[in-house]
Amino acid sequence: MSNLVLHLDDVQKNFGGLRALSDVNLAVEEGTTHAIIGPNGAGKSTLLNVCVGRLKPDAGSVTFDGQELTGMLPHEIAQIGVARVFQTPEIFPDMTLLENVMLPAFSRRDGAFKFNALSKLSSQSEIRGEAEHILEDVGLKEQMMLEAGSLSRGDKRRLELGMCLILKPRLLLLDEPTAGMSRHDTNSTIDLLKKIKSRGMTKVIIEHDMHVVFSLADKVSVLARGQIIASGLPEDVREDPKVKEAYLGGTA
Amino acid sequence: MPIWLEPFGANYPDLLQKFAIYGIFAIGFNILFGLTGYLSFGHAAFLGIGSYAAVWSFKLLTMNAIPAMFFAVIFAGGLAFIIGFLSLRRSGIYFSILTLAFAQMSYKLAYSVLTPLTNGETGLQLRQTDPRIIDSLFVEAGAGLPSTNLFGLKMSGYPGFYFCAVILIIGFFISMRVFRSPFGLMLKGIKSNQNRMNYTGLNTRPYMLTAFVISGMYAGLAGGLLAITDPLAGAERMQWTASGEVVLMTVLGGVGTLIGPVLGAGLIKYFENIFSAFNAHVLTEMFSFLPDAVVEVLVPIFGLFVGGGWHLTLGLLFVVVIIFLPGGLMEGFNKLFGLLRKSGAQIRGKRTPQDQPGDGG
Amino acid sequence: MDAIFLQILNGLDKGAAYALIALGLTLVFGTLGIVNFAHGAIFMLGAFCAVAFNKLLTLSTKVEDTGVTLFKAYKETPYLKIWFPEAGPVLIDFSVPLSIVMAIPVMLLIGYVMERGLIKHFYKRPHAEQILVTFGLAIVIQEVVKAYFGANPIPQSAPSLMSGSASVGSWIGLGENVVYPWWRLIYLGFSGAVVFAVFAFLKYTTYGMVVRAGMRDRETVGLLGIDIERRFTIVFALATVVAGLAGVMYTPVLPPDFHMGMDFLVLSFVVVVVGGMGSLGGAVLAGFLLGLVQSFASMTEVTAILPGIDQIIIYLVAVFILLVLPRGLMGRAGVMDD
């Protein structure tokens, strides 16, 4: 029996009278890429926030490696191994790419806080080496001394991925990673994700771009109006009539 | 002597001391504001408590400067920990206002509530009858008030300045190390994108608090040195306007740069000295080469901006700098050097990379 | 009981000034998104409008003093008294309320110039720079006033008709001896009227509706094709007038001096933050509340137990509220959230 990295069990979440999530079940196995798709308004953001512990479910449980995530602060969940990519790439715009990637490396090595004010940044060769390596992996080594804010959106996404990867997370959460991207950028993002895929990292991708999903996912769950209406292998889900209806049948 | 050199006359050691002391204050403030971007309007409270602690050390223990500095830093650090802990529960403008509120509270406490400790409006002063426990073991009480000293070396005039200057240099190097350390990188990260910091696994709270306490300790140190060079501690040092002054210095010089704040402190203290010394008489003399009618007009106009009007000039300067050169003097220098380099290259007939077609610049 | 009633009035009175300043601050912050550190200076400018108007009315010349018979003596007599022997003195007596007439256009002009000349260039700049530039502006305004009017407070008196005390006790059955200065009651009423007027404007006019919408979602309002920049100028000018009026009418209570702006500003920020940034109702409510708190804290019974508490009580309350209720009393989500 594979290890369940993320497990949602009969999760309910209501906002006032609105049923944002009902009876949501999700079982993400270690090393797999699990995609959650759904039309707009299906409850994907709510689901994501529940997954990272930002929102507490009204019923049911969310566990990560057997641990309850609810109520944990963002830095705590990162420290236990959950890394997150945001819809709009969240990077450090006024620092160099190298610095951007070194910061998470420090976080992984030294923990949430370390008062190393008297050691020199320039002498941290191990971390610097790691950072350069990751930048190479994501194809940004050339630009490593550039200011991150000057990158294109696609490159910012690569940088962000690099920043997550250097954390060596147990679980990588991707929140609509190709949102607002050109075809070209979308494809290069997919290629990059495929490249990482081979490392056996567990990934959960929230998307509504079918192409992305079917290129990357081992398993797909479809969320519509707060409920999982289908879950399984990409090919099966694609053929599922309920899924077709949800996407084409005019559900908002 | 000509007015521009006035400060370099009899007042010189005094001015130099102030320059060094406020330089230290500004360096510490820059570690907080320059790196993390958190704007505190309450640092005067730490300056004040540093002074008070130093004077109490003189009164109770010894006139030696070292214990005075030690207590100044410790007490300021302690107060900074408390104020920082509470204020940092919020960020942005809420944080700034909280620091302002705390500073005002400290000022009021010092001015009218804790008067046994602070002597309120009059200020805490030395007295013949002070216990000075440690001193009395070694030294015979002489006539008149003793003076602050560093193991026998009197801390007034030039020696006082040299002492402050050494502390300034040490403080500068420490801040340089902080800037260039992983810790410094974290602080920059907080300014750059606090959300990403959190999701990277870094707990911003202790980083912020540490930066706050460090900057508070620098302020306390400055306050202590103020008392060492002039053993008096008054409540007005804790008024928010003193906090405003250090903000001015840091911004004028260049926030987030290493030497900027020191430059800013130096310039402001220098001009404060000069401008305050101007008066109608001096102005008239200055313009004496112009026809009388012109002088009649110019003197009152200029008179507005000097002497008592120094703060007006400072305020205007500040506004102008923020509008056109928010990076302060350092930004100005950089731009100037950039221009010079470019024109130099053009003179030599070389094309700089920026001149290549198709470049984004 | 008497003392408590008086303290309530005192607190509401003081709170009224805070509320008006905080109202202007919140209007500007909620609509323009700018934290205006010069707002206290504007309050102070209002007070000095009253001073200037008074000076204008009492422009004097030397007139022979017929009362002195031993030698020729001269008395400084205001022109108004000479030209209008009956109406003149009355006008001068009522200079404070009359200066409202001058203050409104002057403050409008000041607000307009400030916004168009300086503030509007900072809408897109970082918050820290907005704070810094308005802070610098406050210093400049303060120093100009000091240069022109001198560093000493210039007391202004209320019209003699209103400078006595009203026996407020008799209104609510507490006895004739409970008295409270008339002018302060008038101030309270005036402030209430201004607050009411502002809220009415916002609620019942289309203009006001646009402002309220802009406070909620600036971007959308702009997208609707409404010239948001002009609204900004008008809102800023409105806030300036409100603060200025608060200053004008407060002069008999507190002699104006050049640094009163900053003192009030610090307190007003505290008020705004306690009330909840972006909430107009919160600002007004918190203003009165904190005025009351401060007033009660200064009662002798209280200072006997906790000496000096009145000096710091506002800050203590503010700190407490900020820590317990992160958005203040009535703040809305999304405004300056962490």
Side-chain angles (χ1 to χ4, degrees), chain C residues 247-272:
Chain C
V248 165
M249 294 296 272
Y250 207 67
T251 51
V253 179
L254 186 70
D257 80 84
F258 74 101
H259 66 68
M260 71 193 285
M262 278 307 182
D263 300 332
F264 273 89
L265 183 73
V266 176
L267 291 168
S268 305
F269 267 132
V270 170
V271 165
V272 168

Side-chain angles (χ1 to χ4, degrees), chain B residues 57-298:
Chain B
S57 168
F58 293 143
K59 289 164 84 75
L60 292 177
L61 295 176
T62 165
M63 293 303 288
N64 197 312
I66 302 286
M69 270 195 344
F70 175 74
F71 286 114
V73 172
I74 294 289
F75 275 89
L79 185 65
F81 186 82
I82 297 173
I83 292 184
F85 185 79
L86 293 171
S87 303
L88 283 166
R89 301 189 80 79
R90 313 304 316 283
S91 64
I93 185 67
Y94 286 107
F95 165 77
S96 299
I97 292 176
L98 270 171
T99 57
L100 187 57
F102 277 117
Q104 279 299 86
M105 214 195 298
S106 309
Y107 168 66
K108 300 272 185 192
L109 282 171
Y111 194 84
S112 45
V113 181
L114 295 173
T115 36
L117 277 177
T118 63
N119 205 13
E121 193 170 351
T122 340
L124 196 59
Q125 290 154 334
L126 294 177
R127 265 203 291 259
Q128 267 283 73
T129 50
D130 287 331
R132 284 187 282 274
I133 306 177
I134 298 184
D135 271 355
S136 55
L137 296 176
F138 296 103
V139 176
E140 274 260 346
L145 286 176
S147 40
T148 57
N149 63 73
L150 182 69
F151 301 109
L153 182 65
K154 268 211 204 147
M155 288 279 101
S156 50
Y158 280 98
F161 164 64
Y162 292 136
F163 182 57
C164 293
V166 167
I167 307 280
L168 173 68
I169 292 176
I170 295 177
F172 180 78
F173 271 102
I174 293 181
S175 93
M176 198 163 76
R177 283 300 274 264
V178 170
F179 265 69
R180 296 181 183 170
S181 69
F183 179 74
L185 191 66
M186 308 295 168
L187 295 184
K188 286 185 195 161
I190 292 178
K191 180 176 186 182
S192 191
N193 188 337
Q194 206 165 353
N195 192 32
R196 185 29 96 187
M197 280 293 280
N198 284 324
Y199 278 97
T200 302
L202 294 161
N203 188 358
T204 53
R205 195 68 77 64
Y207 280 104
M208 280 305 311
L209 188 57
T210 312
F212 193 83
V213 170
I214 291 179
S215 69
M217 296 203 297
Y218 267 83
L221 181 60
L225 286 173
L226 276 174
I228 288 174
T229 52
D230 179 17
L232 168 69
E236 74 285 347
R237 228 164 254 175
M238 288 178 121
Q239 255 201 315
W240 78 274
T241 39
S243 296
E245 208 181 8
V246 76
V247 176
L248 252 68
M249 288 177 188
T250 313
V251 173
L252 238 44
V255 192
T257 64
L258 277 170
I259 3 170
V262 183
L263 227 60
L267 264 143
I268 287 194
K269 283 295 152 189
Y270 173 68
F271 279 112
E272 184 180 73
N273 216 287
I274 296 188
F275 272 71
S276 308
F278 272 71
N279 54 33
H281 177 75
V282 175
L283 280 174
T284 324
E285 255 187 63
M286 229 174 75
F287 291 127
S288 53
F289 64 94
L290 291 167
D292 274 352
V294 181
V295 175
E296 290 281 303
V297 168
L298 284 181

Side-chain angles (χ1 to χ4, degrees), chain C:
Chain C
M1 189 58 216
D2 305 355
I4 292 189
F5 179 57
L6 284 178
Q7 288 300 351
I8 292 179
L9 284 177
N10 192 25
L12 287 176
D13 201 8
K14 210 182 287 189
Y18 298 153
L20 284 176
I21 301 178
L23 185 63
L25 266 175
T26 308
L27 265 174
V28 168
F29 180 72
T31 321
L32 282 66
I34 297 241
V35 180
N36 184 13
F37 259 67
H39 200 73
I42 295 176
F43 172 74
M44 183 263 296
L45 280 176
F48 274 92
C49 270
V51 172
F53 191 71
N54 187 286
K55 284 212 163 166
L56 197 68
L57 286 184
T58 54
L59 269 180
S60 303
T61 182
K62 283 197 173 37
V63 160
E64 199 172 324
D65 186 342
T66 47
V68 179
T69 47
L70 274 181
F71 50 85
K72 262 203 192 261
Y74 292 92
K75 203 162 57 162
E76 285 280 339
T77 312
Y79 281 111
L80 269 179
K81 278 197 178 155
I82 302 172
W83 299 338
F84 307 103
E86 266 140 44
V90 175
L91 284 176
I92 294 178
D93 189 43
F94 274 81
S95 75
V96 170
L98 282 176
S99 54
I100 291 180
V101 172
M102 175 181 120
I104 294 185
V106 168
M107 303 290 352
L108 271 174
L109 182 69
I110 292 178
Y112 180 82
V113 168
M114 230 190 254
E115 199 270 338
R116 290 281 98 187
L118 184 68
I119 310 281
K120 82 162 180 193
H121 300 288
F122 279 79
Y123 291 149
K124 304 219 167 72
R125 308 238 319 222
H127 272 298
E129 287 180 20
Q130 292 170 354
I131 294 176
L132 290 171
V133 82
T134 51
F135 172 66
L137 187 64
I139 295 182
V140 171
I141 294 176
Q142 198 167 288
E143 290 297 315
V144 168
V145 167
K146 176 171 153 202
Y148 192 74
F149 288 98
N152 293 319
I154 306 179
Q156 300 290 308
S157 4
S160 35
L161 198 64
M162 304 163 190
S163 43
S165 300
S167 50
V168 289
S170 51
W171 297 352
I172 62 163
L174 275 179
E176 289 277 320
N177 293 329
V178 183
V179 293
Y180 196 71
W182 261 114
W183 183 259
R184 290 190 145 198
L185 289 171
I186 291 178
Y187 188 79
L188 193 53
F190 178 77
S191 311
V194 171
V195 170
F196 183 73
V198 171
F199 275 94
F201 168 76
L202 288 173
K203 186 155 184 200
Y204 297 114
T205 64
T206 342
Y207 213 95
M209 187 176 71
V210 174
V211 170
R212 271 186 298 134
M215 278 179 85
R216 287 218 174 257
D217 190 339
R218 198 183 320 154
E219 204 178 333
T220 312
V221 172
L223 289 172
L224 290 173
I226 298 171
D227 183 354
I228 201 71
E229 294 249 315
R230 249 188 71 217
R231 309 292 168 175
F232 283 179
T233 315
I234 296 188
V235 169
F236 193 85
L238 177 68
T240 307
V241 170
V242 168
L245 287 178
V248 165
M249 294 296 272
Y250 207 67
T251 51
V253 179
L254 186 70
D257 80 84
F258 74 101
H259 66 68
M260 71 193 285
M262 278 307 182
D263 300 332
F264 273 89
L265 183 73
V266 176
L267 291 168
S268 305
F269 267 132
V270 170
V271 165
V272 168
V273 164
V274 167
M277 294 198 89
S279 163
L280 293 167
V284 173
L285 185 71
F288 283 111
L289 210 71
L290 286 175
L292 281 169
V293 165
Q294 195 173 44
S295 190
F296 278 109
S298 60
M299 285 172 76
T300 38
E301 293 87 337
V302 178
T303 48
I305 311 174
L306 295 161
I309 188 77
D310 59 313
Q311 299 288 335
I312 60 172
I313 186 76
I314 281 200
Y315 304 112
L316 284 175
V317 168
V319 167
F320 177 74
I321 289 195
L322 270 184
L323 296 178
V324 169
L325 293 167
R327 296 207 196 96
L329 292 173
M330 286 167 67
R332 285 179 294 116
V335 181
M336 287 292 204
D337 262 352
D338 299 341

Side-chain angles (χ1 to χ4, degrees), chain A residues 177-197:
Chain A
T178 60
M181 277 190 191
S182 62
R183 191 81 268 168
H184 169 78
D185 280 340
T186 305
N187 285 331
S188 61
T189 307
I190 294 178
D191 289 336
L192 184 55
L193 286 172
K194 274 190 187 159
K195 193 173 152 190
I196 328 171
K197 198 176 153 83

